[in-house]
């Protein structure tokens, strides 16, 4: 059975290294009992080294529950790219996952579908798990899933060699739901998951898309997290959590409620 996954996107928080370590340790110590869920912490780059030292040691890969991820990655490995960071660099700190195409990067840094496509390819080449974010900026009340969701997916996965994205993750994050306290309804989230899986199958082929995971992000908290996951194979297989992931207790509750389903 594919495991569910809950990813913490700390964004540009917290401001102090001690605080980052304290949140991390609390999460680590309180998710020990989870069985079918993976938890990934994506801190600011500056904390990777110190948090990598706090990672549980000598864990058998099959039983690993806690992973370290990054919120972005550049497509080149090294060279004259001021301010950038590459997968080769972050892998030294045990990083296994990379968020790509978060709407805040599309908005504030002007990341385009073309850039994200290059980033996804670089992440796959480095053997990291990509967490590709897609989602519409606006939605009419009661409206259907806008075509931009499929367009973003196609653009990001263009030219990906068949089989490469097998372990990839696609995060459906309607932008209007991020940080607003106005999460998508569970019904619509299931519809989005079905649509995304179907579109991914068209692009990658049925076999290659069979094991990728679709997760939901946007105002997830301990109260609503479980409602997005359904027991059958149709629903979301995890969450991307922003604000609530900085509160260790709340994040642990999210992970546990997802794991309990
Ligand atoms: P939020 O953010 O949980 O604070 O809405 C989600 C995200 O941006 O990934």
């Amino acid at each position: 059975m594919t495991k569910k996954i809950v990813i913490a996107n700390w964004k540009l928080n917290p401001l102090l290294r001690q605080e980052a370590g304290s949140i991390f340790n609390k999460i680590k110590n309180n998710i020990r009992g989870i069985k079918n869920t993976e938890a990934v912490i994506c801190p600011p780059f500056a904390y990777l080294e110190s948090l990598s030292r706090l990672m549980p040691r000598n864990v058998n890969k099959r039983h690993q529950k806690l992973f370290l991820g990054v919120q972005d990655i550049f497509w080149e490995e090294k060279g004259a790219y001021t301010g950038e960071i590459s997968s080769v660099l972050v892998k030294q700190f045990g990083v296994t996952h990379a968020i790509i195409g978060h709407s805040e990067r599309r908005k504030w840094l002007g990341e385009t579908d073309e850039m994200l496509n290059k980033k996804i390819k670089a992440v796959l080449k480095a053997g990291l798990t990509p967490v590709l974010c897609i989602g519409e900026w606006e939605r009419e009340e009661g409206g259907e899933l806008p075509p931009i969701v499929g367009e973003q997916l196609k653009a990001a996965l263009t030219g990906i060699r068949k089989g490469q994205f097998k372990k990839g993750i696609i995060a459906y994050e309607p932008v209007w739901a991020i940080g607003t306290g106005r999460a998508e309804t569970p019904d619509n989230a299931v519809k989005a998951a079905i649509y995304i899986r179907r579109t991914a199958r068209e692009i990658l082929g049925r076999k290659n898309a069979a094991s990728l995971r679709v997760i939901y992000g946007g105002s997830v908290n301990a109260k609503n997290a479980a409602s997005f996951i359904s027991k059958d194979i149709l629903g979301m297989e995890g969450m991307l959590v922003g604000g609530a992931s900085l509160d260790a207790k709340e994040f642990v509750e999210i992970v546990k409620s997802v794991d309990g389903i």
Side-chain angles (χ1 to χ4, degrees):
M1 196 181 97
T2 325
K3 287 196 172 160
K4 285 167 283 187
I5 187 160
V6 182
I7 303 173
N9 176 11
W10 283 2
K11 309 190 180 184
L12 186 43
N13 300 292
L15 284 189
L16 297 175
R17 191 178 62 172
Q18 286 79 354
E19 205 186 329
S22 153
I23 303 172
F24 189 86
N25 270 336
K26 281 186 199 144
I27 293 172
K28 177 177 85 174
N29 294 334
N30 288 292
I31 59 163
R32 291 206 173 111
I34 60 169
K35 293 198 166 63
N36 295 313
T37 308
E38 296 168 339
V40 186
I41 310 295
C42 303
F45 290 126
Y47 300 142
L48 281 179
E49 178 159 23
S50 56
L51 297 189
S52 73
R53 293 211 196 97
L54 302 176
M55 281 290 275
R57 302 262 156 235
N58 305 322
V59 183
N60 177 323
K61 271 220 160 100
R62 280 180 46 224
H63 302 300
Q64 190 172 348
K65 289 166 189 161
L66 187 62
F67 298 81
L68 209 48
V70 285
Q71 301 168 17
D72 178 46
I73 213 87
F74 189 56
W75 58 79
E76 295 291 347
E77 275 179 12
K78 63 171 194 162
Y81 304 104
T82 303
E84 292 301 334
I85 193 150
S86 78
S87 31
V88 179
L89 244 148
V90 302
K91 275 176 80 175
Q92 297 170 75
F93 303 112
V95 165
T96 47
H97 296 67
I99 298 175
I100 297 292
H102 191 281
S103 60
E104 283 149 19
R105 296 199 61 84
R106 295 182 193 250
K107 180 178 170 190
W108 300 113
L109 283 304
E111 292 200 348
T112 63
D113 285 332
E114 200 189 5
M115 289 158 80
L116 302 179
N117 180 247
K118 287 202 250 182
K119 290 187 175 200
I120 294 275
K121 285 175 181 159
V123 165
L124 290 170
K125 189 170 161 229
L128 297 175
T129 302
V131 182
L132 168 67
C133 298
I134 53 173
E136 77 278 8
W137 300 92
E138 286 169 357
R139 171 96 70 94
E140 276 171 41
E141 195 77 37
E144 292 292 304
L145 194 69
I148 189 169
V149 178
E151 287 159 16
Q152 286 175 340
L153 188 56
K154 283 183 192 138
L157 297 183
T158 297
I160 303 281
R161 273 191 282 119
K162 292 230 164 19
Q164 263 199 323
F165 201 80
K166 266 189 173 165
K167 300 253 179 306
I169 296 167
I170 300 168
Y172 170 60
E173 293 209 303
V175 184
W176 49 266
I178 295 178
T180 59
R182 207 157 56 87
E184 178 56 287
T185 62
D187 276 359
N188 279 343
V190 169
K191 280 188 201 152
I194 294 170
Y195 170 78
I196 289 167
R197 280 202 195 95
R198 198 178 60 222
T199 312
R201 274 202 299 271
E202 281 166 21
I203 306 166
L204 301 167
R206 179 171 289 273
K207 223 172 95 202
N208 297 311
S211 53
L212 61 78
R213 285 178 282 182
V214 183
I215 65 175
Y216 170 77
S219 295
V220 171
N221 56 41
K223 284 201 186 77
N224 65 16
S227 66
F228 295 105
I229 313 266
S230 49
K231 285 199 179 74
D232 53 43
I233 51 160
L234 295 177
M236 294 286 172
E237 292 160 296
M239 322 263 106
L240 180 51
V241 188
S245 71
L246 288 154
D247 178 335
K249 195 165 165 276
E250 174 117 19
F251 185 71
V252 167
E253 274 177 44
I254 294 172
V255 176
K256 286 187 175 166
S257 71
V258 167
D259 190 54
I261 293 164

Short mmCIF file of all heavy atoms in Angstrom, two decimals, residues 9 11 102-104 173 177-180 217-220 240-244, ligand 1:
data_model
loop_
_atom_site.label_atom_id
_atom_site.label_comp_id
_atom_site.label_asym_id
_atom_site.label_seq_id
_atom_site.Cartn_x
_atom_site.Cartn_y
_atom_site.Cartn_z
N ASN A 9 5.37 22.91 5.04
CA ASN A 9 6.04 23.98 4.32
C ASN A 9 6.15 25.17 5.27
O ASN A 9 5.20 25.90 5.49
CB ASN A 9 5.19 24.35 3.08
CG ASN A 9 5.77 25.54 2.33
OD1 ASN A 9 6.89 25.97 2.59
ND2 ASN A 9 4.99 26.09 1.40
N LYS A 11 7.84 27.82 4.90
CA LYS A 11 8.01 29.11 4.20
C LYS A 11 9.17 29.89 4.85
O LYS A 11 10.16 29.28 5.24
CB LYS A 11 6.70 29.88 4.20
CG LYS A 11 5.55 29.00 3.69
CD LYS A 11 4.29 29.73 3.42
CE LYS A 11 3.22 28.75 2.93
NZ LYS A 11 1.99 29.37 2.54
N HIS A 102 5.59 26.34 -6.01
CA HIS A 102 4.60 26.87 -5.06
C HIS A 102 4.07 28.21 -5.59
O HIS A 102 4.83 28.99 -6.16
CB HIS A 102 5.24 27.05 -3.69
CG HIS A 102 4.23 27.34 -2.63
ND1 HIS A 102 3.69 28.59 -2.47
CD2 HIS A 102 3.61 26.53 -1.73
CE1 HIS A 102 2.80 28.55 -1.48
NE2 HIS A 102 2.73 27.31 -1.03
N SER A 103 2.80 28.46 -5.36
CA SER A 103 2.19 29.67 -5.94
C SER A 103 2.86 30.95 -5.45
O SER A 103 2.86 31.96 -6.16
CB SER A 103 0.70 29.71 -5.63
OG SER A 103 0.49 29.73 -4.24
N GLU A 104 3.43 30.90 -4.24
CA GLU A 104 4.13 32.11 -3.76
C GLU A 104 5.38 32.39 -4.58
O GLU A 104 5.76 33.54 -4.78
CB GLU A 104 4.44 31.97 -2.27
CG GLU A 104 3.20 32.21 -1.43
CD GLU A 104 3.16 31.44 -0.13
OE1 GLU A 104 4.22 30.98 0.36
OE2 GLU A 104 2.05 31.27 0.42
N GLU A 173 -3.16 22.86 -4.82
CA GLU A 173 -3.30 23.95 -3.87
C GLU A 173 -4.03 25.12 -4.52
O GLU A 173 -3.39 25.96 -5.18
CB GLU A 173 -1.91 24.44 -3.43
CG GLU A 173 -1.12 23.45 -2.63
CD GLU A 173 -0.18 24.17 -1.67
OE1 GLU A 173 0.64 24.97 -2.13
OE2 GLU A 173 -0.29 23.94 -0.48
N ALA A 177 -7.21 29.41 -1.39
CA ALA A 177 -7.38 28.70 -0.11
C ALA A 177 -6.13 28.78 0.76
O ALA A 177 -6.16 28.40 1.93
CB ALA A 177 -7.72 27.23 -0.37
N ILE A 178 -5.02 29.27 0.19
CA ILE A 178 -3.76 29.28 0.94
C ILE A 178 -3.74 30.43 1.94
O ILE A 178 -3.89 31.60 1.57
CB ILE A 178 -2.55 29.39 -0.02
CG1 ILE A 178 -2.47 28.14 -0.89
CG2 ILE A 178 -1.25 29.59 0.76
CD1 ILE A 178 -1.35 28.15 -1.90
N GLY A 179 -3.58 30.08 3.19
CA GLY A 179 -3.42 31.08 4.25
C GLY A 179 -4.66 31.92 4.50
O GLY A 179 -4.58 32.97 5.15
N THR A 180 -5.80 31.50 3.98
CA THR A 180 -7.01 32.32 4.13
C THR A 180 -7.99 31.76 5.15
O THR A 180 -8.96 32.40 5.50
CB THR A 180 -7.77 32.41 2.78
OG1 THR A 180 -8.09 31.06 2.36
CG2 THR A 180 -6.93 33.09 1.72
N GLY A 217 -3.43 21.01 -0.46
CA GLY A 217 -2.89 22.07 0.40
C GLY A 217 -3.76 23.31 0.32
O GLY A 217 -4.33 23.62 -0.74
N GLY A 218 -3.86 24.03 1.41
CA GLY A 218 -4.66 25.26 1.47
C GLY A 218 -5.50 25.28 2.72
O GLY A 218 -6.55 24.64 2.77
N SER A 219 -5.01 25.98 3.76
CA SER A 219 -5.74 26.12 5.03
C SER A 219 -6.08 24.78 5.69
O SER A 219 -7.17 24.61 6.24
CB SER A 219 -7.01 26.96 4.82
OG SER A 219 -6.66 28.28 4.48
N VAL A 220 -5.13 23.86 5.60
CA VAL A 220 -5.32 22.57 6.31
C VAL A 220 -5.02 22.80 7.79
O VAL A 220 -4.07 23.49 8.15
CB VAL A 220 -4.35 21.50 5.74
CG1 VAL A 220 -4.36 20.25 6.61
CG2 VAL A 220 -4.69 21.17 4.30
N LEU A 240 -0.31 19.20 2.08
CA LEU A 240 0.80 20.15 2.16
C LEU A 240 0.32 21.24 3.11
O LEU A 240 -0.69 21.89 2.85
CB LEU A 240 1.12 20.71 0.77
CG LEU A 240 2.26 21.71 0.64
CD1 LEU A 240 3.53 21.22 1.30
CD2 LEU A 240 2.55 22.00 -0.83
N VAL A 241 1.03 21.39 4.22
CA VAL A 241 0.53 22.25 5.29
C VAL A 241 1.46 23.45 5.48
O VAL A 241 2.66 23.28 5.67
CB VAL A 241 0.46 21.47 6.62
CG1 VAL A 241 -0.24 22.30 7.68
CG2 VAL A 241 -0.25 20.13 6.43
N GLY A 242 0.91 24.64 5.43
CA GLY A 242 1.71 25.85 5.64
C GLY A 242 1.63 26.29 7.09
O GLY A 242 2.28 25.72 7.97
N GLY A 243 0.82 27.29 7.35
CA GLY A 243 0.70 27.91 8.68
C GLY A 243 0.66 26.92 9.84
O GLY A 243 1.41 27.06 10.82
N ALA A 244 -0.20 25.91 9.73
CA ALA A 244 -0.39 24.98 10.85
C ALA A 244 0.83 24.10 11.10
O ALA A 244 0.92 23.45 12.14
CB ALA A 244 -1.62 24.11 10.59
P1 LIG B 1 -1.55 27.19 4.42
O1 LIG B 1 -0.44 27.12 3.27
O2 LIG B 1 -1.65 25.81 5.01
O3 LIG B 1 -1.03 28.21 5.39
O4 LIG B 1 -2.83 27.60 3.78
C1 LIG B 1 -0.34 26.02 2.42
C2 LIG B 1 0.78 26.21 1.46
O5 LIG B 1 1.06 27.35 1.06
O6 LIG B 1 1.45 25.25 1.07
#
